[in-house]
Amino acid sequence: MVAISNNPAISNAASSTLGQTQGRGMDALGQGDFLKLLTVQMQQQDPFEPVDNKDMLAQMAQFSALAGSAETNEMLERIADKLDQLIVTTESAQSASGL
């Protein structure tokens, strides 16, 4: 298996991609960034020692799990915001009715 850190073309592409994402922070890296790195990795791999399919699938599964986790976190934040609004509304309705 070819290590990314040992391949200068992939390291340069990773640096280029990370340079383009500066200002967004590492938390903002998304599916497009992952696909760019994956594409460069596949283009630059040694044809006589290709990346193992299991390793490639593991990378995709990890990214998929991460994306699902991020979506879950966003949904939980929206739910928490709505609950906060509901609490404020309920408290103001109770104080207006004199309870």
Side-chain angles (χ1 to χ4, degrees):
M1 179 171 74
V2 177
I4 291 177
S5 60
N6 294 337
N7 192 323
I10 293 175
S11 297
N12 290 341
S15 298
S16 171
T17 300
L18 292 176
Q20 293 171 0
T21 59
Q22 282 184 343
R24 290 193 304 178
M26 293 298 283
D27 294 339
L29 291 176
Q31 186 174 8
D33 299 311
F34 172 77
L35 291 175
K36 285 179 191 175
L37 289 172
L38 182 64
T39 302
V40 172
Q41 179 181 357
M42 291 183 75
Q43 289 172 343
Q44 300 298 324
Q45 70 180 332
D46 182 359
F48 298 108
E49 277 188 60
V51 175
D52 185 30
N53 287 338
K54 291 178 186 177
D55 293 336
M56 192 68 66
L57 288 173
Q59 286 179 0
M60 289 191 278
Q62 287 174 341
F63 181 77
S64 178
L66 180 63
S69 177
E71 288 177 22
T72 301
N73 287 343
E74 289 174 14
M75 181 63 71
L76 288 172
E77 286 177 16
R78 287 193 297 250
I79 290 171
D81 290 342
K82 289 182 180 185
L83 286 173
D84 289 342
Q85 291 173 354
L86 180 62
I87 290 169
V88 168
T89 304
T90 303
E91 288 174 349
S92 55
Q94 286 178 348
S95 63
S97 66
L99 292 177

